[in-house]
């Protein structure tokens, strides 16, 4: 018998059509799980399968769309999958069709949303899919069809499980809305990049809409994909016709519309909701004479996030370099303190500056890098849609971060060293990724461009052995310091050009090195960047806060016909402060005294930038701690009192707190580390099972403003984790929040464990469902109605401790 | 009606007073106004407005309500549905974008996070209002009237009814709405509810 992959090579493959609608017609009740029908109504299920084989389907999928361990016990799941496979096999035997016949294990979404949007952990999702896949393999399916996926992260989990648990061909199909995106925002380009990178055998589109409405998405797949494209549309949309529900595309129209797309290049076709064996029969007949289009390589160098793809080619790609502790004292401090918000802020600020990709490097010798990098990647992809460049020399950290990354990452980096290639290429092959390849080897960095190109060739050859195509490598020919070697920049520029011209590969440079040791570094760096772009550089790892770099970038685009009507350049220019302006506040600054009351006003009004600028100004003449004690805290107190008296409302309280925080950042930057007098440690968490953390974050912000050393454990935190942090820090106070009645038991359990392991700790609780009486009943020390009350209580405890 | 229907709407008009109410403010300073405008501009067109629904025959017996797919005992719901022969069960969501923005700003600006949270609540309530108004018009043309919507978790109606509602509405597939283990919906700015349909008395 022909293998499925052989059939796919030069035939149009027909899949089956809808299942749910037909089961409902056969009597499946609302809310009843269709997968159980494999056991209870095997004949009815087989009959539907057989009708599809009779209609001409090569592949019929098992009735296992929702067969997973979240819905069924292990024993029942095994029985369902065993029987589901047998039902398709029996149908194949009974069918009169003479075509090749294959059984696909059908896998749909779990129905649960993955973290951070929902509560299902990524690895738990992988484990759920893995169970289903193992059973499918055990009972002998020929291939796997992952379909109707509406979230890129869950799709990754399913494909990863399929790849890890089987050698079978895997088809992956997603459900796109009328906006041409997945429910969680991914474009076709993002999905193609990720799924191809991970090695799906065919990818495509099903469900949601009729064939015609899906056409733009199908076209995007055909334009971008180097693997066969699959299409299983609905029979249009359900409409009520004469009091009965019917889909609005007829079998004949469906056949016409899908056949058009086969002619465009689609290679696997079937139907989804509302389609029946009649639709497939019509399609098979109608498209009989369509010649399968060859599958062509697209050679697109691309990375992706959960929403979009970034392609390397004509326009320069900016990779923000700021998430990196090298040479940054404040960043190192934040890393050691586990202050993720600091890292997130760097990410968001760089995004606002206009970078396209964020480099993520959190390596410090004394830290657990695999854990830190994975946490940083997960936290960043929850707050920014930019693709990430995972930057580490630790292969374990690299693998864990790549695994959790929601998209196709940029991998920084591999080199021409044998050991490096042996560590990095298997990861790139398994998880997908665009690998930054440094042109250095065991002998170091060659002086000449030609020798660097030679290393690049060797890297390309070695990558090929792992099945990594040259489009998935981007070379960094290494910018060296021009003040140390006058021809350093020239050789690098020549290497950029040679790699682009002779190898046809893209290049990326960490441009900042070039200016090391020179005054006005940014002038040199930006000029070098422009020269490199002129030689064909595709991307740069750079500092987006350096105005010269952004000027060079926008100017290059305007001069290279990459910026229509110079619109971006003009917008950039208008967003820049006037060159004559200084860092002093925009309003005329009077005496220090008036600047001080101005600072109070800025904090009270919640004017963030102004509060920061005024603080910076005041720091020239005033003692930092005096500014805190005499200006910022009194302003906060005034707002806090207003809030307690209900003359000030929550939004203003928060805006003031943020302005105060901006002022504090200036003060912190001035004070030597550890110089600020801090109040005691405070551990804060939203309890297990609860994901509502807005209230908790408000408490955190205010506590920080009032000088507490807050350790924020986040949301959905297990009791053990709270205890661990309180014991480790010997924190005198812990704050727990819960919004829902269902999570109050988790709060009670956390209190119980804290009492057992950290009897010294005062426990403050709050949240919508709590009352003072309830707080008392679960054994907490204090209930805080709002954030200000939490601050007052914490100050009281802190004073008592100090006394 | 056998099937679950899906409706997608354009963005309903924004009611800023409602947003301030959800944010816990009775009035807004100029700075707050500016911040809200910035938040609304950042949200732009990212929210979606999707509803899936299905109509079920209804049977009431005292406080027991037979919704056609499950039975619940709830005096409050029974009162709300009194006199109705059927009920439309619906789920509505404004999508993941607002959740993303709330998470993003929780890290760097709690004030913005608070406003996006309030915007999300206002948006999904506005979506429910739009859907229910449309339903009332549709049923009105058949000589029927609709009751106010009633959600699991209101009054004495158990939140666990969410499981059964998700079972019959196929929310993940229809509108991208899923239910977590702890009965929390994701996207969080979503609503499920029951609307009684009765004779126009």
């Amino acid at each position: 018998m022909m293998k499925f992959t052989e059939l796919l090579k030069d035939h149009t493959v027909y899949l089956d059509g809808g299942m749910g609608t037909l089961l409902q017609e056969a009597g499946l009740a609302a809310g009843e799980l269709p997968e159980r029908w494999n056991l209870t109504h095997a004949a009815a299920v087989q009959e539907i399968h057989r009708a599809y084989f009779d209609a001409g389907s090569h592949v019929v999928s098992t009735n296992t769309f929702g067969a997973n361990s979240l819905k069924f016990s292990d024993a029942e799941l095994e029985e369902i999958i065993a029987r589901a496979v047998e039902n398709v096999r029996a149908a194949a035997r009974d069918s009169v069709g003479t075509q090749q016949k294959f059984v696909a294990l059908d896998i749909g979404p779990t129905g649960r949303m993955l973290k951070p949007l929902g509560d299902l952990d990524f690895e738990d999702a992988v484990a759920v899919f893995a169970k289903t896949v193992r059973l499918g393999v055990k009972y002998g399916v020929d291939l796997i069809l992952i379909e109707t996926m509406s979230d890129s992260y869950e799709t990754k989990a399913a494909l990863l499980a399929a790849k890890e648990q089987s050698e079978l061909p895997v088809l992956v199909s997603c459900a796109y809305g009328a906006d041409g995106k997945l429910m969680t925002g991914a474009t076709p380009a993002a999905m193609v990049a990720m799924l191809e990178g991970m090695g799906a055998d065919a990818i495509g589109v099903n469900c949601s809409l009729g064939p015609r409405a899906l056409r733009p998405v199908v076209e995007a797949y055909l334009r971008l994909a180097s693997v066969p494209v699959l299409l299983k549309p609905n029979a249009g949309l359900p409409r009520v016709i004469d009091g009965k529900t019917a889909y609005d595309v007829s079998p004949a129209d469906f056949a016409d519309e899908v056949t058009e797309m086969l002619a465009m290049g689609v290679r696997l076709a079937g139907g989804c909701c509302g389609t029946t064996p009649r639709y497939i029969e019509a399609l098979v007949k109608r498209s009989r004479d369509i010649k399968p289009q060859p599958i062509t390589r697209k050679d697109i160098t691309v990375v992706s996030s959960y929403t979009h793809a970034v392609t390397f080619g004509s326009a320069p790609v900016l990779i923000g370099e700021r998430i990196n502790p090298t040479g940054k004292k404040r960043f190192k401090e934040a890393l050691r303190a586990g202050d993720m918000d600091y890292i997130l802020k760097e990410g968001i600020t760089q995004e606002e500056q206009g970078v396209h990709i964020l480099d993520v490097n959190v390596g410090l010798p004394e830290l657990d890098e695999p854990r830190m990098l994975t946490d940083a990647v997960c936290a960043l992809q929850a707050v920014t849609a930019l693709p990430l460049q995972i930057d580490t020399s630790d292969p374990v950290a690299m693998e864990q971060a790549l695994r959790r990354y929601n998209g196709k990452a940029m991998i920084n980096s591999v080199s021409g060293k044998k050991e490096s290639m042996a560590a990095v290429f298997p990861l790139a092959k398994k998880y997908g990724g665009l690998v930054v390849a440094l042109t250095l080897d065991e002998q170091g960095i060659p002086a000449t461009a030609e020798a660097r190109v030679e290393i690049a060739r060797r890297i390309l050859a070695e990558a090929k052995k792992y099945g990594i195509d040259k489009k998935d490598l981007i070379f960094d020919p290494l910018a060296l310091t021009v003040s140390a070697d006058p021809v350093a920049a020239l050789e690098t520029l020549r290497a950029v050009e040679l790699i682009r011209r002779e190898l046809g590969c893209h290049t990326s440079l960490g441009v900042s090195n070039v200016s090391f040791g020179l005054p006005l570094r940014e002038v040199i760096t930006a000029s070098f960047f422009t020269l490199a772009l002129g030689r064909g550089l595709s991307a740069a790892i750079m500092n987006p806060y350096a105005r010269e770099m952004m000027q060079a970038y926008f100017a290059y685009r305007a001069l290279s016909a990459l910026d229509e009507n110079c619109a971006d350049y003009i917008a950039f220019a208008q967003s820049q402060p006037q060159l004559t302006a200084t860092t002093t506040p925009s309003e005329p600054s009077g005496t220090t005294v008036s600047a001080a009351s101005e600072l109070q006003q800025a904090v009270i009004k919640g004017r963030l930038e102004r509060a920061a600028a005024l603080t910076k100004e005041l720091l020239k003449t005033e003692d930092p701690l005096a500014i805190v004690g005499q200006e910022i805290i009194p302003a906060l107190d005034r707002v806090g009192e207003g809030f307690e008296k209900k003359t000030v409302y929550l939004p203003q309280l928060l805006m003031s707190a943020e302005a105060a925080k901006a002022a504090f950042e200036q003060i912190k930057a001035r004070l030597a580390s550890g110089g600020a007098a801090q109040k005691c440690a405070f551990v804060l968490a939203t309890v297990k099972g609860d994901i509502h953390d807005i209230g908790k974050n408000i408490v955190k912000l205010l506590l920080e403003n009032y000088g507490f050393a807050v350790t924020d454990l986040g949301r959905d935190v297990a009791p053990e984790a709270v205890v661990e942090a309180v014991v480790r820090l010997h924190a005198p106070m812990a704050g727990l929040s819960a919004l829902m009645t269902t999570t109050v038991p988790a709060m009670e359990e956390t209190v119980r464990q804290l009492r057992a392991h950290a009897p010294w700790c005062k426990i403050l609780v709050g949240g919508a469902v709590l009352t003072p009486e309830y707080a008392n009943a679960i054994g907490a020390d204090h209930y805080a109605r709002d954030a200000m009350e939490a601050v007052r209580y914490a100050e009281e405890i802190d004073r008592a401790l100090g006394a | 009606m056998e099937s679950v229907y899906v409706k997608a709407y354009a963005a309903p008009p924004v009611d800023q007073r409602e947003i301030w109410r959800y944010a816990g403010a009775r009035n807004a300073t100029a700075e707050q106004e500016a911040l809200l405008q910035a938040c609304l501009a950042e949200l732009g067109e990212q929210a979606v407005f999707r509803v899936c629904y299905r109509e079920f025959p209804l049977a009431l017996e005292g406080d027991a309500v037979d919704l056609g797919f499950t039975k619940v005992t709830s005096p409050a719901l029974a009162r709300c549905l009194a006199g109705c022969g059927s009920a439309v069960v619906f789920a509505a969501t404004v999508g993941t974008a607002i959740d993303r923005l709330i998470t993003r700003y929780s890290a760097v600006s709690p004030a913005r996070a608070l406003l996006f949270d309030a915007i999300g609540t206002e948006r999904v309530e506005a979506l429910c209002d739009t859907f229910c108004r449309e339903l009332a018009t549709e049923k009105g043309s058949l000589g029927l009237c609709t009751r106010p919507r009633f959600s699991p978790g209101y009054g004495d109606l158990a939140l666990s009814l969410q499981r059964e509602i998700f079972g019959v509405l196929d929310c993940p597939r229809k509108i991208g709405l899923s239910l977590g283990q702890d009965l929390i919906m994701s996207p969080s700015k979503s609503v499920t509810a029951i609307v009684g349909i009765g004779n126009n008395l």
Side-chain angles (χ1 to χ4, degrees), chain A residues 446-467:
Chain A
T448 68
E450 284 76 10
R452 291 183 208 175
V453 174
E454 205 35 55
I455 294 177
R457 279 187 214 278
R458 288 212 307 275
I459 294 174
L460 278 174
E462 187 66 16
K464 204 171 176 186
K465 292 183 194 162
Y466 291 86

Side-chain angles (χ1 to χ4, degrees), chain B residues 88-127:
Chain B
V88 165
V89 178
F90 76 89
T93 185
V94 294
T96 55
I98 291 177
D99 282 353
R100 291 268 181 196
L101 287 164
I102 294 170
T103 309
R104 178 180 171 100
Y105 286 109
S106 290
V108 294
S109 168
R112 277 177 190 249
L114 177 80
L115 286 191
F116 278 118
D117 190 70
I119 289 169
T121 307
E122 185 277 339
R123 296 285 67 202
V124 73
E125 290 297 329
L127 170 62

Side-chain angles (χ1 to χ4, degrees), chain A residues 116 153 322-325 331 334-335 338-348 358-364 367-392 397 400-402 404-406, chain B residues 100 103 107:
Chain A
Y153 212 19
R322 301 296 300 174
I323 302 180
N324 189 324
F331 198 103
L335 274 182
D339 181 0
M340 196 57 82
D341 285 357
Y342 187 85
I343 296 172
L344 298 184
K345 195 165 187 174
E346 283 288 353
I348 291 170
L358 296 173
D359 183 79
V360 186
N361 181 324
V362 291
L364 272 188
L367 284 184
D368 176 359
E369 193 182 346
R371 184 175 161 186
M372 194 67 211
L373 185 62
T374 309
D375 287 352
V377 163
C378 290
L380 278 163
Q381 66 189 1
V383 303
T384 169
L386 294 185
L388 302 180
Q389 168 164 289
I390 292 166
D391 182 357
T392 176
Q400 290 185 13
L402 281 174
R404 289 274 174 155
Y405 180 65
N406 187 357
Chain B
R100 291 268 181 196
T103 309

